[in-house]
Amino acid sequence: DKLAKAEGSVFPFCQYSPRLHVSSSTGDGGVVLVGDALHAFPPDIGQGVNAALSDVMTLDKCFSDTMATAAGSDNSSNKNNIIRNALSMYECENGPETRALIALARCGAPFQYNQPSKYMKFRKLLWTFNVATRLLLNKLTLGVSPKPAIITQLNSSLSFRDVMRGANTLTVVLSMGLGLILSKIFHNSKLLYLPLL
């Protein structure tokens, strides 16, 4: 009963570890982060398990590729550093994807829990306007403008980087357009007042 009557609170800020692994100086051991140990975020976008499985699949691919390279190499250092090389490859491949995932989680659907403060309610209104505007632009441009990231992320053929690249590109275009409009308004308003001087 107490839980049902609770007002709600704010989830912790979405976060990730900038380092995905640590390997020994000899290269014969290491620790790797996957899943919630690597990236923690509220369940807003419904990608927690998917992201963890993607981490493991990427790690497996990195080990497979590193072992294949070492098996076909005469270089003994490649064979001795399989773990270090695989973990370094994992960091290079999965690091940008993790950063994009956290960016998506931060903008995805952060206001679905009805946080009580007026500030959060205002931010929810702005977020709703942003998503509605992007959806309308997508319809008006017949798909040239990308759908909002929260919808685009449902396309399993796209990586989180692809989703955020589309969203960020549209943000830049909209910001530039708004800047142009404001500069025209400001420029025209200056012209109106010049004769008065």
Side-chain angles (χ1 to χ4, degrees):
D1 192 41
K2 182 179 176 183
L3 184 62
K5 292 179 182 175
E7 286 289 319
S9 63
V10 177
F11 277 106
F13 198 61
C14 303
Q15 54 195 329
Y16 69 97
S17 172
R19 289 294 313 264
L20 281 59
H21 83 282
V22 177
S23 58
S24 68
S25 59
T26 60
D28 59 357
V31 175
V32 65
L33 299 177
V34 297
D36 287 348
L38 174 58
H39 38 69
F41 50 91
D44 300 337
I45 60 172
Q47 292 295 323
V49 173
N50 294 345
L53 290 174
S54 177
D55 294 341
V56 172
M57 289 173 51
T58 302
L59 182 61
D60 177 62
K61 181 184 178 306
C62 292
F63 268 100
S64 297
D65 291 353
T66 303
M67 290 175 69
T69 301
S73 173
D74 293 333
N75 187 343
S76 63
S77 70
N78 280 346
K79 293 179 181 177
N80 293 337
N81 294 315
I82 289 175
I83 293 174
R84 183 184 314 150
N85 293 344
L87 295 182
S88 293
M89 182 186 293
Y90 171 70
E91 187 162 313
C92 288
E93 290 190 19
N94 210 37
E97 190 70 4
T98 299
R99 288 187 291 280
L101 169 64
I102 293 301
L104 177 62
R106 288 177 181 164
C107 73
F111 303 106
Q112 64 181 340
Y113 302 105
N114 293 324
Q115 292 93 342
S117 74
K118 288 181 182 180
Y119 172 71
M120 293 305 277
K121 288 179 181 179
F122 178 69
R123 287 187 61 199
K124 181 178 182 178
L125 181 69
L126 290 177
W127 178 86
T128 304
F129 177 75
N130 181 12
V131 170
T133 300
R134 288 170 186 262
L135 198 53
L136 181 64
L137 281 172
N138 175 263
K139 298 298 181 193
L140 291 175
T141 62
L142 303 176
V144 173
S145 172
K147 292 178 182 174
I150 190 66
I151 296 171
T152 307
Q153 61 107 14
L154 299 174
N155 182 342
S156 62
S157 68
L158 296 176
S159 69
F160 294 121
R161 282 183 277 186
D162 295 335
V163 170
M164 291 313 297
R165 188 177 299 116
N168 291 338
T169 300
L170 181 57
T171 299
V172 168
V173 169
L174 291 174
S175 298
M176 289 171 51
L178 182 62
L180 258 157
I181 291 169
L182 291 175
S183 70
K184 290 282 187 189
I185 290 171
F186 180 72
H187 180 71
N188 288 341
S189 66
K190 272 184 150 181
L191 292 177
L192 292 174
Y193 294 110
L194 283 179
L196 299 175
L197 294 176

